[in-house]
Amino acid sequence: MSSLLPIDATASAAATSAATIGAATSTAATSTAPKKKERVVGPTVPCPPAVATAWLILRVAVADVLGLAPACQDCTVSLLQPLWRKPGMAGQAKFSVGLGKKGGRGVVDLQCVDQVFVLEAVQAAANRLIAEQIDIDCWETTPEDLLEIVNATAASTASSATTSKNKNTVAVTLAVLHEHGAAVPPALPYANTNALAAIEILNMARVSVVQTGQRKAELTLMFAVTEQQDATEEKVAAVCVVNGPGPPSSSSTSATTAVRHTPKQCAAWNATKLRAPEGAALLQTAQAHQAAQKEAAAAATTLSAETTTAAAAADDADEMVVTIEDVKGKIDYTKLVEQFGSTLIDDALQQRLYDQTVGQGRVPALHRFLRRGMFFSHRDLDTLLGATEKKTPMYLYTGRGPSSDSMHLGHLIPFLFTKWLQDAFDAPLVIQMTDDEKFIFKGEYEDGAGDNLNHFYNLTMENARDIIACGFDYKKTFIFSDLEYVGQMYPNIVRIWKAVTTNTVTGIFGFDGSSNIGKVAFPAVQAAPSFASSFPKVLEADRDSPRCCLIPCAIDQDPYFRMTRDVAHKLVSKKHVLSGKPSLIHSKFFPPLQGATGKMSSSDANSAIFLTDSPEDIERKIKKHAFSGGQATTEEQRERGADLEVDVSYQWLRFFLEDDDELERIGKEYGSGQGEYWSTGKVKERLIAVLQDLVAAHKERRAKITDEEVRRWMTERSIVT
Ligand code: TRP
């Protein structure tokens, strides 16, 4: 039976082993791990041999299906948890398999597969072992000899994929279990699988896979055994194996003395992890699931650097890709909101916003971006309004990654809206310039020349000028460069680092082992300004501050704040109305000139109108590049009108033309091919005029802002009154 093991299989001291093996309950010392308490392993109540045998088989099945390395000092012991039985539950029992600290050492990531699949795979593997009539050998041996067996077996199974493989591995696994001090239960009369008909896993009582902060992963299985009715005495007798392949000379080593091997010693055995075909299938399921999840995460949130393939795929199709730096394809905002789990802004919420802003006489009207649904989604805006209604203080937080010298119209959107919010709520505002982020993601280093970190810092100063030119209130606005200000936020950054795992960050942003560690660390830096206590002087706040945060941003920034909101409660006092969570109000993307998909990009000069463009540039770009939803011929246009949805000029007018009546008229006429604005040319003319005015006014304000003035806006000072 065990002759397949490539060692000298001589008979061994059956009697010694039988004593150990036959014990219904027994202790197993864990003498080599001094810190660990002595623990009891083995069946807790007298255990029928069939159950004990099934237990052995299942443990092997679990290890071989999940790819646990059983022959190693720090995980083998975890296979040796007791078997629990209730008196009276004849053929049933429950046991756990430790999967190791911190998420388990298994090859199959249990977080990626449905429990049902795990259950089915383990059950299938166990029943396959039964069907193959695997012999089970129990013997005693010295650690040295065992190691030899283990390594020889691993080597032989690796070199010859024969049918003997399973038998070998099972035998060795059990040998290891036994050797490590497990009291092998009274399986002897059944220790040949042909005495069992089937093992059924009744349920997976618990799979506590390591999640954030959780230390141990464990799989608990409740199972039932059916015995083979026609198991003959003969067969049963034949499998009372205690001697197995262990060298008899060393059998005096007590099986109750646990000796564990170092992972290094067991390397050869451990190298063959997925020993069961069911495990390979399960791994595939897990990997497919993981890939699907990753794809979803990529589509939703991954930074462009990590998603070249996803982005490339989206190039050929019109597929939606919304990542922190990459937005492509036709954006389905309803789907996006669903994917992200935010909430659409409805009429009731608009009305509430109206009451608290326009109703207070601070602004003449809701911003056109709200009226026209450009800011369309939110998180906890309703809760925030409830708080501010009751006079809870709030502040606004937004930011910009300074990546290019000159900002374009798309960059202006959040700031134009934030300026309105500042007026509407009479609120302090902090603006984060993430020069660190841009360097981490796009920075360069050259031997000799060094890196370009300063370049991004300089962009911060340039971009700050454009931001100031949007008309914020100096007394209530603080603009900061991360490179300069990060010290004040550092305590909160450290707290966020502690609260968020690498798994979470890589899951949300799609980083992997090859991402520089700055990428993994940065999300905490963008999260930190969501807490008033990151601004001890500026907002005069500490941890106890009740001040709520509202973040206006494009929806591609949402992942940062999803992460933030998850850990927010750890950074504020219990009394905070939102448990520290920032509220969010999300905008859609500003469409590029070439078509109403994706978002405007600074890298393609023709897709954007820059704030530095001349009136002629503006005219030329729009005439030449603005995608038209108009018809091909005059007759058709007169007859059918333009498709406003895809017409960039019309869409841009929706963003920038303040007058609702005029916009409505343009929409009606252009959409029907009638009246003054019947044609693309006419609409483009109107847009050119609007943008020329806007850009000229912006340039004029910007020109007046000196370096000293920029410095003043970036000086730490109180902005609350
Ligand atoms: N990551 C943003 C960008 O690349 C910049 C940013 C930092 C931001 N903090 C923010 C944007 C808060 C919106 C809100 O542009």
Side-chain angles (χ1 to χ4, degrees):
M1 49 203 61
S2 56
S3 59
L4 291 165
L5 286 171
I7 59 137
D8 182 20
T10 355
S12 83
T16 330
S17 289
T20 315
I21 289 165
T25 57
S26 158
T27 54
T30 52
S31 58
T32 49
K35 277 166 281 165
K36 282 183 186 154
K37 276 197 223 141
E38 205 176 71
R39 62 158 114 183
V40 178
V41 295
T44 50
V45 292
C47 182
V51 173
T53 305
W55 177 37
L56 291 178
I57 294 168
L58 276 171
R59 288 202 304 205
V60 170
V62 168
D64 290 3
V65 161
L66 297 182
L68 304 173
C72 149
Q73 64 179 358
D74 51 348
C75 45
T76 304
V77 73
S78 66
L79 284 170
L80 302 179
Q81 296 185 21
L83 178 70
W84 299 96
R85 296 186 59 248
K86 277 197 193 129
M89 303 278 280
Q92 294 184 16
K94 189 174 96 175
F95 74 105
S96 294
V97 176
L99 302 175
K101 279 185 195 154
K102 306 245 174 198
R105 296 177 175 77
V107 172
V108 178
D109 182 349
L110 282 185
Q111 293 188 78
C112 296
V113 276
D114 198 295
Q115 294 193 5
V116 174
F117 293 121
V118 179
L119 186 146
E120 282 175 351
V122 172
Q123 179 171 297
N127 285 317
R128 178 178 47 78
L129 295 179
I130 292 174
E132 288 174 3
Q133 306 210 335
I134 296 297
D135 293 335
I136 298 170
D137 305 289
C138 304
W139 73 92
E140 291 195 34
T141 182
T142 62
E144 290 73 27
D145 291 334
L146 178 74
L147 190 60
E148 225 184 289
I149 298 167
V150 158
N151 285 330
T153 307
S156 85
T157 50
S159 61
S160 65
T162 62
T163 44
S164 64
K165 188 171 164 185
N166 282 325
K167 293 194 178 189
N168 282 342
T169 55
V170 171
V172 172
T173 306
L174 290 184
V176 172
L177 289 171
H178 186 191
E179 189 278 336
H180 284 304
V184 177
L188 284 182
Y190 284 75
N192 151 324
T193 45
N194 63 13
L196 300 180
I199 297 175
E200 185 193 356
I201 297 176
L202 299 175
N203 64 40
M204 183 141 12
R206 177 167 35 110
V207 189
S208 43
V209 175
V210 171
Q211 308 253 321
T212 323
Q214 205 174 318
R215 274 185 49 240
K216 231 174 90 190
E218 205 170 56
L219 175 74
T220 305
L221 298 177
M222 168 108 76
F223 66 90
V225 197
T226 317
E227 298 184 41
Q228 189 76 269
Q229 287 311 316
D230 61 357
T232 60
E233 272 305 309
E234 195 191 331
K235 269 183 184 168
V236 170
V239 292
C240 293
V241 179
V242 207
N243 44 355
S249 56
S250 40
S251 63
S252 56
T253 308
S254 166
T256 53
T257 309
V259 179
R260 299 191 204 101
H261 301 302
T262 64
K264 203 171 160 195
Q265 286 172 307
C266 300
W269 168 254
N270 289 343
T272 329
K273 283 185 177 164
L274 271 187
R275 294 164 294 268
E278 291 83 356
L282 188 68
L283 182 65
Q284 261 182 9
T285 310
Q287 282 169 343
H289 183 84
Q290 214 167 13
Q293 262 191 344
K294 207 168 169 180
E295 214 173 276
T301 59
T302 309
L303 291 131
S304 60
E306 333 292 317
T307 52
T308 35
T309 46
D315 268 347
D316 6 288
D318 213 15
E319 195 189 316
M320 169 168 83
V321 171
V322 177
T323 75
I324 283 172
E325 282 193 327
D326 212 1
V327 176
K328 292 193 170 176
K330 172 110 186 78
I331 316 291
D332 179 338
Y333 287 103
T334 317
K335 205 163 130 196
L336 203 56
V337 161
E338 245 167 55
Q339 258 179 29
F340 279 14
S342 60
T343 312
L344 289 171
I345 295 176
D346 59 14
D347 291 348
L349 190 58
Q350 283 231 11
Q351 184 60 47
R352 256 182 110 180
L353 254 173
Y354 181 96
D355 293 343
Q356 270 197 50
T357 56
V358 186
Q360 304 293 310
R362 287 195 287 259
V363 277
L366 282 182
H367 196 277
R368 59 178 183 275
F369 293 166
L370 276 169
R371 303 198 301 267
R372 298 177 194 160
M374 276 89 176
F375 275 81
F376 72 114
S377 149
H378 77 100
R379 288 184 191 272
D380 272 334
L381 180 58
D382 43 352
T383 322
L384 179 113
L385 291 178
T388 50
E389 241 160 44
K390 296 199 185 90
K391 301 283 172 269
T392 304
M394 60 92 84
Y395 72 107
L396 298 161
Y397 158 40
T398 191
R400 160 152 179 81
S403 59
S404 64
D405 248 329
S406 55
M407 291 169 57
H408 59 56
L409 287 176
H411 294 141
L412 224 47
I413 307 294
F415 292 106
L416 293 175
F417 185 63
T418 303
K419 146 83 177 131
W420 179 85
L421 284 173
Q422 180 172 58
D423 294 344
F425 284 94
D426 189 25
L429 161 69
V430 295
I431 302 175
Q432 178 180 44
M433 305 298 288
T434 54
D435 31 25
D436 53 347
E437 175 191 21
K438 292 302 154 189
F439 175 68
I440 288 168
F441 285 91
K442 302 191 167 179
E444 280 158 16
Y445 172 83
E446 248 177 69
D447 266 349
D451 65 39
N452 62 347
L453 180 59
N454 282 337
H455 166 68
F456 291 99
Y457 177 66
N458 292 335
L459 289 182
T460 283
M461 306 302 281
E462 277 314 299
N463 286 184
R465 216 183 294 274
D466 281 303
I467 292 169
I468 295 167
C470 289
F472 294 106
D473 178 350
Y474 168 78
K475 285 202 232 51
K476 293 198 176 69
T477 306
F478 173 53
I479 304 178
F480 62 97
S481 140
D482 276 345
L483 288 172
E484 283 178 4
Y485 184 74
V486 78
Q488 287 285 27
M489 305 194 292
Y490 196 60
N492 281 344
I493 291 171
V494 171
R495 289 182 176 110
I496 298 160
W497 279 338
K498 179 152 171 61
V500 181
T501 64
T502 315
N503 277 344
T504 301
V505 171
T506 49
I508 294 178
F509 299 96
F511 304 139
D512 60 31
S514 70
S515 309
N516 70 55
I517 61 175
K519 290 188 181 182
V520 180
F522 174 75
V525 179
Q526 179 150 340
S530 313
F531 304 97
S533 56
S534 293
F535 303 94
K537 289 210 185 87
V538 174
L539 295 176
E540 299 178 16
D542 59 17
R543 185 189 158 86
D544 292 330
S545 171
R547 199 175 279 277
C548 295
C549 178
L550 174 59
I551 305 174
C553 62
I555 193 151
D556 58 348
Q557 297 296 307
D558 186 69
Y560 283 117
F561 302 115
R562 247 181 285 157
M563 182 199 86
T564 309
R565 287 165 51 89
D566 280 348
V567 300
H569 61 281
K570 296 192 174 175
L571 283 91
V572 296
S573 84
K574 284 256 181 293
K575 284 172 282 183
H576 194 281
V577 203
L578 275 144
S579 302
K581 287 183 170 55
S583 299
L584 291 151
I585 181 161
H586 299 124
S587 76
K588 295 181 180 174
F589 305 111
F590 186 61
L593 266 182
Q594 279 86 347
T597 61
K599 76 171 180 182
M600 214 186 219
S601 151
S602 352
S603 42
D604 180 357
N606 285 329
S607 81
I609 302 277
F610 292 93
L611 299 174
T612 46
D613 279 350
S614 67
E616 296 74 35
D617 290 334
I618 296 175
E619 181 174 353
R620 177 181 51 82
K621 284 188 191 178
I622 291 177
K623 283 196 170 155
K624 194 158 166 212
H625 297 293
F627 185 83
S628 168
Q631 305 301 332
T633 64
T634 303
E635 295 76 65
E636 269 185 90
Q637 173 63 16
R638 284 287 188 196
E639 199 177 299
R640 309 224 306 265
D643 179 350
L644 300 181
E645 268 303 300
V646 301
D647 190 278
V648 171
S649 305
Y650 176 75
Q651 290 300 328
W652 280 24
L653 279 170
R654 291 187 68 227
F655 275 90
F656 292 111
L657 184 65
E658 175 60 26
D659 188 333
D660 286 342
D661 294 339
E662 193 186 351
L663 184 72
E664 198 190 326
R665 184 183 145 206
I666 294 173
K668 259 197 198 137
E669 297 186 355
Y670 189 33
S672 62
Q674 309 300 315
E676 186 188 345
Y677 292 110
W678 71 277
S679 72
T680 303
K682 292 288 178 194
V683 176
K684 282 191 172 181
E685 252 169 50
R686 184 71 189 103
L687 175 67
I688 290 166
V690 168
L691 293 186
Q692 283 173 338
D693 285 354
L694 184 141
V695 172
H698 182 86
K699 275 189 188 167
E700 199 184 319
R701 285 192 300 270
R702 190 182 194 278
K704 290 196 195 115
I705 301 164
T706 60
D707 288 353
E708 293 74 59
E709 175 155 13
V710 174
R711 278 258 62 96
R712 264 188 282 134
W713 286 72
M714 297 180 67
T715 301
E716 197 184 358
R717 66 205 191 278
S718 172
I719 57 168
V720 291
T721 38

